[in-house]
Amino acid sequence: MRKFPVLLSTIVAASTITLSTTSISAESTTDLNEKIDALQQQQKQLEEKQGKLQRDTDKTDKKINKNLDKQGSVEKEIHSIDTDLQKTLEQITTKETEISNTNQQIEELGKQIQKLKKEITILKERIAKREGLLKDRLRNIQQNGGSMKYIEVILGSKSFGDFISRSSAVNTIMDQDKSIMEQHEADKITVEKNKVDVENKKSEVEERKQSLQAQKQDLVALKGQLDKQLSKKETLMASLEEEHKELEAYKVSVEEEQEILAQQAEAAEKAKQLAQSQKSELEQLAKEKAAQQAKQEKTKPKSNNHSSSANSSSSSSSSGGSAPAPAPAPEQNMGGDMMYPISAPITSHYGTRWGSMHHGTDFGAPIGTPVRSAASGVVIMTNSASQAGMSGYGNVILVSHNINGQSYTTLYAHLNSIGVSQGQTVSAGQVIGASGNTGQSTGPHLHFEVHRGGWNGSKSNSIDPMTVLN
């Protein structure tokens, strides 16, 4: 986006014509007509510049409104992204909690598996013992003739009671053998079942963990995308805010320029009215002089016409009807130069200083030293430290002049006090203020600038004051 410099160069260049302190008789009607025409042309130019500035203001307002609309849209997008980002962070936190719980489950299952392995080891030991007992029993049966031994035990009974006892003992042994076999098979089934269940559960939990980790990775990736989007939108918002500041600053500079143009138009109107008044007075004096000469012509004797005419001419030349020619205006100095604005030594000249351009001449003077107008003219601005491009001047006065057909603007800065007001006419050498140390000043002094034409923020019209001071 382009920068918007303070364009005050259009303000003063064609604006004011010096209100001379000389008598109106020093100028002819033709001179005054030319001055009035020039002032009317100047007013027309000022109106055109004001119209252009108004169009600039309207265009800037549209840009500002468009910028604000964009900011509103981007702010909504940032809010939406921020909301999504918060949700994603919450989901990531939830997944991390679930993963943590799953890890605890896996750890618990690991403990269960370790416990089950011990139980399996115990069951295996029991099975091994039972198998040993069964093997021994079978081996004894085989060695003693197989299952017929049970019949021998029963038939060897000595009495019926003994028969019953032996039969019951054989049944008990056979039941025990059957129970051992059933328990043996049940233990084997339990071991296998527990082993399968635990392994299946562990596999299921580990799969769930992998799924949760994958979901978390997706959420982390989404968060990364949202972070990038948010950063991009925030950068755009910062750019829009900077653009808005520049537009607002430009609008303020244009409004200030309009204000100074209005002040300049008032000065031009004042100068035109004074010129018209001078013209009217000059015309009235001419009429009075003509009437007086006509009266003298009627009253002088015809016989002494030549002598009377000469005497009349001589009398007319010394009559009070025509004002005597005054001395030249002080600011003219017979050569069109300006006078020094203050009685003080120069401490810094016009030109490059400390790596930048110094657009004026500094005069070192104690606070309160009288500051005088370098030439007669019109005060177009006072104490405008708030004006764009003038914040460092502190208390300041701008005066416009017209010397030998060339317009100039002089600037007096860092003043301690101001003794004139906007629109006031001043004469060369008139005290307009007192030197000081206001604004961006390193010590008490007067900063004096001369601009050929009008003053502007870039100071493109500045010239070395020493080329015009006498």
Side-chain angles (χ1 to χ4, degrees):
M1 172 182 174
R2 68 186 183 87
K3 299 289 182 183
F4 300 99
V6 180
L7 303 177
L8 296 176
S9 58
T10 61
I11 300 172
V12 189
S15 61
T16 57
I17 295 181
T18 302
L19 303 179
S20 177
T21 59
T22 62
S23 170
I24 60 173
S25 61
E27 293 182 292
S28 67
T29 304
T30 302
D31 293 336
L32 290 170
N33 282 333
E34 290 177 354
K35 180 179 287 187
I36 292 170
D37 290 341
L39 286 167
Q40 288 175 336
Q41 182 64 29
Q42 174 188 337
Q43 288 177 317
K44 182 179 178 181
Q45 292 174 351
L46 288 172
E47 289 176 359
E48 292 175 353
K49 291 172 183 175
Q50 286 175 328
K52 180 180 180 298
L53 289 175
Q54 186 59 50
R55 290 191 293 274
D56 285 348
T57 299
D58 295 340
K59 186 184 294 183
T60 303
D61 282 336
K62 291 180 180 179
K63 290 181 178 179
I64 289 174
N65 291 333
K66 186 177 180 180
N67 176 279
L68 291 174
D69 289 341
K70 286 183 179 178
Q71 285 193 51
S73 177
V74 173
E75 191 170 355
K76 288 181 180 178
E77 292 178 4
I78 289 176
H79 178 71
S80 177
I81 294 172
D82 189 61
T83 300
D84 291 342
L85 190 57
Q86 291 300 321
K87 289 181 179 178
T88 303
L89 288 173
E90 290 174 1
Q91 290 176 345
I92 290 175
T93 301
T94 301
K95 294 301 175 184
E96 289 176 344
T97 301
E98 292 178 358
I99 290 172
S100 176
N101 292 337
T102 303
N103 286 332
Q104 291 178 2
Q105 291 179 357
I106 291 173
E107 184 179 352
E108 185 64 28
L109 287 171
K111 293 179 180 178
Q112 292 181 15
I113 289 173
Q114 292 299 323
K115 182 179 179 181
L116 188 58
K117 285 181 177 179
K118 292 180 180 179
E119 292 177 354
I120 290 172
T121 301
I122 293 171
L123 287 173
K124 284 182 177 180
E125 290 176 355
R126 290 177 182 174
I127 291 171
K129 288 181 179 180
R130 292 193 191 104
E131 287 179 348
L133 289 173
L134 291 173
K135 286 180 180 178
D136 290 340
R137 191 180 298 280
L138 290 172
R139 188 180 300 110
N140 289 331
I141 291 172
Q142 288 177 354
Q143 290 176 352
N144 295 312
S147 58
M148 292 303 294
K149 287 294 182 179
Y150 287 112
I151 296 174
E152 291 179 357
V153 170
I154 293 171
L155 294 178
S157 300
K158 296 181 180 179
S159 63
F160 183 76
D162 187 27
F163 173 78
I164 295 300
S165 298
R166 291 191 178 199
S167 295
S168 177
V170 170
N171 287 334
T172 298
I173 293 172
M174 293 181 68
D175 288 340
Q176 287 178 349
D177 289 343
K178 181 180 179 182
S179 177
I180 290 172
M181 293 299 294
E182 289 175 351
Q183 185 65 42
H184 184 67
E185 292 299 325
D187 287 344
K188 283 185 176 182
I189 292 172
T190 299
V191 168
E192 293 298 328
K193 182 178 182 300
N194 290 343
K195 182 179 179 181
V196 171
D197 288 344
V198 172
E199 289 178 350
N200 288 341
K201 191 171 184 180
K202 182 180 178 182
S203 176
E204 178 184 345
V205 173
E206 287 178 346
E207 287 179 3
R208 189 194 313 162
K209 178 183 177 181
Q210 291 177 357
S211 175
L212 290 172
Q213 288 176 334
Q215 292 175 23
K216 179 185 174 182
Q217 289 177 354
D218 291 341
L219 290 170
V220 170
L222 177 59
K223 178 182 177 296
Q225 294 176 0
L226 291 172
D227 284 337
K228 289 181 180 178
Q229 292 177 16
L230 185 61
S231 176
K232 186 176 180 181
K233 294 299 179 183
E234 287 176 342
T235 301
L236 177 58
M237 176 61 81
S239 175
L240 289 170
E241 289 174 347
E242 182 64 26
E243 180 186 60
H244 182 262
K245 288 180 182 178
E246 292 177 358
L247 288 169
E248 287 289 355
Y250 178 68
K251 181 181 177 181
V252 169
S253 70
V254 171
E255 289 172 347
E256 291 172 345
E257 189 172 346
Q258 287 176 313
E259 180 182 351
I260 297 178
L261 277 177
Q263 297 170 4
Q264 197 65 36
E266 291 177 7
E269 179 62 24
K270 188 172 183 179
K272 187 177 77 171
Q273 290 175 358
L274 182 56
Q276 289 173 336
S277 176
Q278 289 175 334
K279 177 184 174 183
S280 297
E281 292 180 25
L282 188 59
E283 290 174 343
Q284 182 63 31
L285 286 174
K287 288 180 181 179
E288 292 175 357
K289 182 178 179 181
Q292 185 180 11
Q293 289 177 344
K295 183 177 179 180
Q296 290 174 348
E297 287 291 332
K298 289 180 181 181
T299 59
K300 68 182 178 180
K302 294 182 179 180
S303 60
N304 196 23
N305 184 45
H306 180 72
S307 176
S308 296
S309 175
N311 290 336
S312 175
S313 175
S314 174
S315 175
S316 175
S317 66
S318 61
S319 171
S322 176
E331 78 277 12
Q332 299 292 334
N333 288 323
M334 302 303 292
D337 295 335
M338 298 181 181
M339 65 183 295
Y340 275 75
I342 194 170
S343 179
I346 295 175
T347 56
S348 182
H349 285 277
Y350 177 94
T352 303
R353 184 182 70 172
W354 305 330
S356 61
M357 184 63 182
H358 183 235
H359 291 275
T361 298
D362 290 345
F363 296 87
I367 294 175
T369 304
V371 174
R372 306 175 185 276
S373 177
S376 63
V378 179
V379 178
I380 61 172
M381 187 165 60
T382 63
N383 202 28
S384 297
S386 62
Q387 293 283 357
M390 302 188 74
S391 59
Y393 284 132
N395 294 329
V396 63
I397 298 174
L398 266 70
V399 182
S400 64
H401 318 272
N402 188 281
I403 303 174
N404 294 336
Q406 173 63 53
S407 63
Y408 293 91
T409 302
T410 53
L411 180 147
Y412 313 79
H414 308 306
L415 302 176
N416 186 60
S417 62
I418 293 175
V420 292
S421 57
Q422 175 193 329
Q424 180 178 338
T425 59
V426 294
S427 59
Q430 178 179 335
V431 175
I432 59 176
S435 64
N437 191 29
T438 59
Q440 295 178 6
S441 173
T442 57
H445 74 287
L446 170 69
H447 176 79
F448 176 67
E449 293 181 9
V450 178
H451 298 259
R452 184 177 284 110
W455 184 93
N456 60 79
S458 62
K459 304 177 182 62
S460 59
N461 295 334
S462 68
I463 62 173
D464 187 348
M466 302 309 296
T467 62
V468 293
L469 292 178
N470 185 12

